[in-house]
Amino acid sequence: MPGTHPISVERARAAFLEACALDVTTPKPGNVSTQSPGHGMHAAQFLASADASLDALFARGARVGQRILDAVTRTRAAVGCNTNLGIVLLVAPLAAALDETGDPPLSAQAWRAAVGDVLSRLDVEDARLAYRAIALANPGGLGDAPEQSVHAPPTIGLRDAMRLASERDSIARQYANGFADLFDTGLAACFEASTPAPEPAPVNRGEIAMLNVFLAFLGGWPDSHIVRKHGLALAQSVTLVAREQHARWRQTRPAARRSASDPQLDAWDLELKARAINPGTSADLAVATLFVARCVEGRG
């Protein structure tokens, strides 16, 4: 699109890498971090995945489905497992929308509107490419459905296919609702945690924001990845604990929260990993939220 663009490609790429780095430097219950590997994976694989997927996700002018497939293909070649499918599915339309936003400064509202336009144009070819990516990543249970399974050629556009899955998958729901959870719940939690307090600020405000967003999502509704792996009842129980832990953590005086590390959350992390419970969808939503936050205001 001709004219001045709201943020440079370099800034958007840097924001994505920063969000992915915060994903693993922030200890989040049940997720892989630099302090706590788990689920047969370690932090270095996630950082390598971010680097591998970067060029594909921010390929100027590329359709959303192609960005998804290329990012997953490069990630698979780099680390040999599925570390970032959810992140890729979320960031691809967000990155595509950046190609179409107007003059600076970029606002969350303008970006959200542009995402809506991108989603409205997703077609069967986008679905075909995304289906190939999901099958390649091979996440347990994702894409298996009575209608529009990724193991058969699609007959509808990608957004329509995501609508069919939106009640059981939080990432698919973003395609259906125009990323409402991210722009509403996610950004609100991010900027709440990033607002300077009258007491001394935390040492790492980015990690505080990442954890606040993650717990907001995990405590907001059952994590899709947990539902697929362990069933709805267990996922609901994790949501209730997350809600309690989030409320307790938020009551901590800002001066005491100088890092995202928290003894009770650390203990819960070990418990979840011992039971092979991974709130991966909540983490993916948090990464996408921090990416948006760092682009629109340089905060988070």
Side-chain angles (χ1 to χ4, degrees):
M1 172 178 285
T4 304
H5 291 276
I7 64 170
S8 68
V9 174
E10 291 75 17
R11 179 177 166 188
R13 288 163 59 98
F16 172 73
L17 292 178
E18 287 175 29
C20 291
L22 282 171
D23 182 35
V24 293
T25 59
T26 305
K28 305 187 304 303
N31 291 158
V32 173
S33 69
T34 51
Q35 299 92 327
S36 176
H39 314 294
M41 297 178 288
H42 51 82
Q45 290 174 300
F46 287 79
L47 295 174
S49 298
D51 288 335
S53 63
L54 182 65
D55 288 342
L57 286 172
F58 293 91
R60 186 68 175 276
R63 63 164 61 237
V64 169
Q66 195 65 58
R67 295 174 196 243
I68 293 169
L69 177 58
D70 290 349
V72 168
T73 300
R74 296 176 190 186
T75 296
R76 193 80 183 181
V79 300
C81 60
N82 170 33
T83 51
N84 66 352
L85 175 61
I87 293 171
V88 166
L89 289 170
L90 290 167
V91 172
L94 290 167
L98 287 178
D99 293 348
E100 305 185 10
T101 49
D103 292 341
L106 175 66
S107 68
Q109 293 78 10
W111 197 349
R112 186 174 185 169
V115 169
D117 291 340
V118 167
L119 294 173
S120 71
R121 297 195 301 270
L122 295 178
D123 59 17
V124 175
E125 179 63 9
D126 287 298
R128 185 185 68 80
L129 295 165
Y131 280 23
R132 286 178 58 193
I134 294 169
L136 177 62
N138 194 29
L142 184 63
D144 295 330
E147 294 181 272
Q148 300 299 316
S149 168
V150 299
H151 304 295
T155 58
I156 59 177
L158 180 57
R159 189 179 200 183
D160 289 333
M162 290 292 194
R163 283 194 178 105
L164 293 176
S166 61
E167 291 189 4
R168 63 178 183 274
D169 185 272
S170 298
I171 291 175
R173 186 167 69 239
Q174 305 318 302
Y175 280 71
N177 69 15
F179 281 61
D181 297 329
L182 190 155
F183 282 101
D184 292 335
T185 301
L187 286 185
C190 182
F191 293 150
E192 172 197 53
S194 302
T195 301
E199 299 180 69
V203 169
N204 194 322
R205 198 172 289 163
E207 291 185 8
I208 296 297
M210 173 62 80
L211 182 57
N212 199 50
V213 173
F214 170 77
L215 290 173
F217 283 131
L218 186 57
W221 52 82
D223 184 279
S224 302
H225 188 73
I226 299 177
V227 173
R228 282 195 301 274
K229 292 286 189 178
H230 301 279
L232 180 59
L234 190 146
Q236 289 174 327
S237 71
V238 172
T239 294
L240 292 176
V241 174
R243 201 169 293 165
E244 295 168 356
Q245 291 281 9
H246 194 197
R248 176 196 60 79
W249 180 81
R250 290 177 68 193
Q251 290 172 356
T252 306
R253 291 187 309 110
R257 284 195 261 116
R258 295 189 175 278
S259 76
S261 182
D262 175 275
Q264 291 189 44
L265 292 180
D266 292 344
W268 191 33
D269 172 62
L270 294 176
E271 177 189 341
L272 289 174
K273 285 172 179 166
R275 300 169 63 191
I277 299 172
N278 179 9
T281 302
S282 300
D284 294 339
L285 288 165
V287 170
T289 298
L290 267 290
F291 163 61
V292 170
R294 288 188 173 273
C295 284
V296 296
E297 294 191 23
R299 298 171 63 181

